[in-house]
Amino acid sequence: MKKRLFRNNKNSANSQFNHTKIGLNLIGVLIGSALSVTGANAAVIENTDVQFGGYIKVDSMFSDYSHGAPDSGSISRQFYVPGTIYGVEGNGNQVVDFQARETRFNFKTITDIDDHKLTGFIELDFMTHADGNERVSNSYSPRIRHAFVSFDNWTVGQSWTTFQNPAALPENLDFVGAAEGTPFVRQTQIRYTNGGFQLSVENPETTLNGYQSPSRILSGSGMVPDVVARYNFKTEAGAKLSVAGIARQLNIETRISDTQFDATALGYGVSFSGILPVGADDIKFTATYGEGLGRYMALNYVNAGVIDADGDIEAITSYGGFIAYRHWWNDQWRTSVTASAFSADNDVSLMGENVNKDSYSGYVNLLYSPVKPLTVGVEYMYAKNSKENGIEGELNRVMFSAKYVL
């Protein structure tokens, strides 16, 4: 939900000012300062809408880890991430976590200039950081989620990868929800949009397993951006569907110990997702397959490839998906049931058996909105992760949340 602070023209300035006097004073100071620095003139902002949005969200999580809980501050204690629930031996299995870190704030401007549309957007939240603690102040620094500029059909900056369809994500209380079954990446890109068609070049980053090693090698030496194409369309029955494809170069050019590596391989993938109306209810789904997808799937539960004995890269095949059914009991009460899964075809002769193999999770919740901006709810989640050597980790979690949309 977005709140419009003001529209900078003579017809609406006075009425908006009367409703948001304090906010306008602050925004006026900020914009005035920005203009004095940039040298922008009044014509540039004459038809600009300034909006803010976001939400405040408070979570209470009661978790049971099968092999001991991760340490306090671990990302698994913030939300479900496949591969992080194997736990720490000797720690207690049951833990309770309270947090407000998913709370977020965004700021947007929309300007009409000579029949062109110019948009700027930035959004921050407080997830994933380990720079705070729970001892005294719970002071976690903000992070950038989105930061982009759009001009007509072009978008430049950080946002969801074009390979992902965020509209198809289920309405879960967990931060990601269906984590192993969906592409989930935010990164800097250049995107062109024309109707339902989108084409982008995006930041490349390769994650690999070493030969006979479960360790992760990060290679930032790639010179070829990831290329993504996507087409969004609607059916006469009201379904909203999306098909996307990605092509990427897996690359490593670095020295590890006394060995110099210099190799490339092709990675690719396809994803089909959508929202299907079922009366007042809906079904959301995503199905994805690829070779060398790596970090694009399941929050990098499996790497994109493995280095073989000759120093070449072998891409890892993976596939995953989820399906979620949301039922509206009435205008205020609703329930979502979600099932999510991911699996990789690992060559254990190259990487050994101490690597992630598959992951599953399920969710069921009950949400209540007494008024439109406010939602409270409870959700039960079960997750199971498995490695090639037979080691398994299980997580049972009950989560209570309250969310107020600004």
Side-chain angles (χ1 to χ4, degrees), residues 28-102:
V29 170
L30 295 175
I31 293 179
S33 300
L35 292 177
S36 65
V37 173
T38 61
N41 56 57
V44 175
I45 63 167
E46 181 177 351
N47 295 309
T48 297
D49 285 338
V50 179
Q51 304 172 359
F52 76 88
Y55 55 75
I56 297 169
K57 186 166 183 276
V58 180
D59 299 319
S60 303
M61 296 174 287
F62 299 78
S63 306
D64 186 340
Y65 295 85
S66 61
H67 295 298
D71 292 330
S72 178
S74 167
I75 195 170
S76 179
R77 300 278 291 269
Q78 300 174 38
F79 60 97
Y80 169 56
V81 178
T84 66
I85 67 171
Y86 296 112
V88 177
E89 186 176 354
N91 283 0
N93 288 12
Q94 291 85 33
V95 292
V96 179
D97 292 287
F98 286 62
Q99 67 174 20
R101 296 176 66 168
E102 191 181 326

Side-chain angles (χ1 to χ4, degrees), residues 242-253:
S242 176
V243 58
I246 184 172
R248 57 193 307 244
Q249 183 189 75
L250 311 183
N251 175 284
I252 184 170
E253 188 176 350

Side-chain angles (χ1 to χ4, degrees), residues 91-386:
N91 283 0
N93 288 12
Q94 291 85 33
V95 292
V96 179
D97 292 287
F98 286 62
Q99 67 174 20
R101 296 176 66 168
E102 191 181 326
T103 297
R104 67 184 57 168
F105 179 83
N106 57 58
F107 186 81
K108 182 178 184 180
T109 63
I110 305 173
T111 306
D112 294 323
I113 307 174
D114 298 330
D115 296 326
H116 296 285
K117 184 178 180 180
L118 177 64
T119 301
F121 184 83
I122 185 168
E123 183 173 66
L124 308 175
D125 74 358
F126 306 88
M127 298 294 287
T128 73
H129 282 288
D131 59 349
N133 60 66
E134 300 179 15
R135 292 184 296 109
V136 180
S137 65
N138 289 267
S139 301
Y140 300 99
S141 61
R143 61 166 185 166
I144 291 179
R145 285 172 50 84
H146 300 272
F148 62 81
V149 175
S150 295
F151 183 72
D152 291 341
N153 299 77
W154 294 92
T155 298
V156 179
Q158 176 167 305
S159 188
W160 300 113
T161 174
T162 311
F163 191 60
Q164 177 185 352
N165 181 8
L169 288 174
E171 188 182 22
N172 290 349
L173 296 182
D174 183 72
F175 179 59
V176 178
E180 61 270 277
T182 180
F184 194 94
V185 173
R186 285 187 302 269
Q187 61 190 5
T188 303
Q189 60 197 269
I190 301 172
R191 179 191 298 171
Y192 174 77
T193 302
N194 189 347
F197 176 74
Q198 296 179 315
L199 180 67
S200 66
V201 290
E202 307 189 8
N203 183 60
E205 179 79 352
T206 301
T207 60
L208 302 169
N209 283 87
Y211 179 62
Q212 289 292 320
S213 172
S215 62
R216 173 169 291 156
I217 300 170
L218 299 177
S219 174
S221 58
M223 289 294 293
V224 179
D226 296 348
V227 179
V228 184
R230 177 171 145 192
Y231 184 67
N232 306 310
F233 59 99
K234 299 179 181 179
T235 68
E236 293 183 357
K240 300 177 181 178
L241 304 174
S242 176
V243 58
I246 184 172
R248 57 193 307 244
Q249 183 189 75
L250 311 183
N251 175 284
I252 184 170
E253 188 176 350
T254 189
R255 179 178 292 275
I256 301 176
S257 298
D258 296 327
T259 305
Q260 178 67 41
F261 293 94
D262 188 355
T264 61
L266 175 66
Y268 67 90
V270 292
S271 185
F272 181 57
S273 59
I275 305 171
L276 308 176
V278 184
D281 302 341
D282 58 57
I283 296 174
K284 296 184 176 182
F285 70 93
T286 295
T288 307
Y289 169 88
E291 294 188 7
L293 284 177
R295 64 187 180 88
Y296 281 91
M297 278 296 294
L299 303 179
N300 210 170
Y301 182 62
V302 170
N303 291 321
V306 57
I307 301 173
D308 65 18
D310 298 322
D312 296 324
I313 298 174
E314 298 290 337
I316 297 174
T317 300
S318 60
Y319 40 92
F322 72 84
I323 186 168
Y325 178 72
R326 180 171 61 174
H327 173 66
W328 289 83
W329 301 101
N330 54 42
D331 291 342
Q332 295 179 317
W333 293 88
R334 58 199 182 276
T335 292
S336 288
V337 179
T338 305
S340 176
F342 172 90
S343 183
D345 290 335
N346 296 313
D347 188 339
V348 294
S349 67
L350 295 180
M351 61 181 67
E353 294 185 344
N354 190 26
V355 293
N356 293 325
K357 177 185 178 183
D358 50 40
S359 177
Y360 306 91
S361 64
Y363 310 75
V364 58
N365 62 37
L366 179 63
L367 309 181
Y368 172 60
S369 297
V371 292
K372 189 174 182 180
L374 179 65
T375 297
V376 295
V378 58
E379 180 172 273
Y380 169 71
M381 184 198 75
Y382 170 79
K384 180 178 180 180
N385 298 170
S386 302

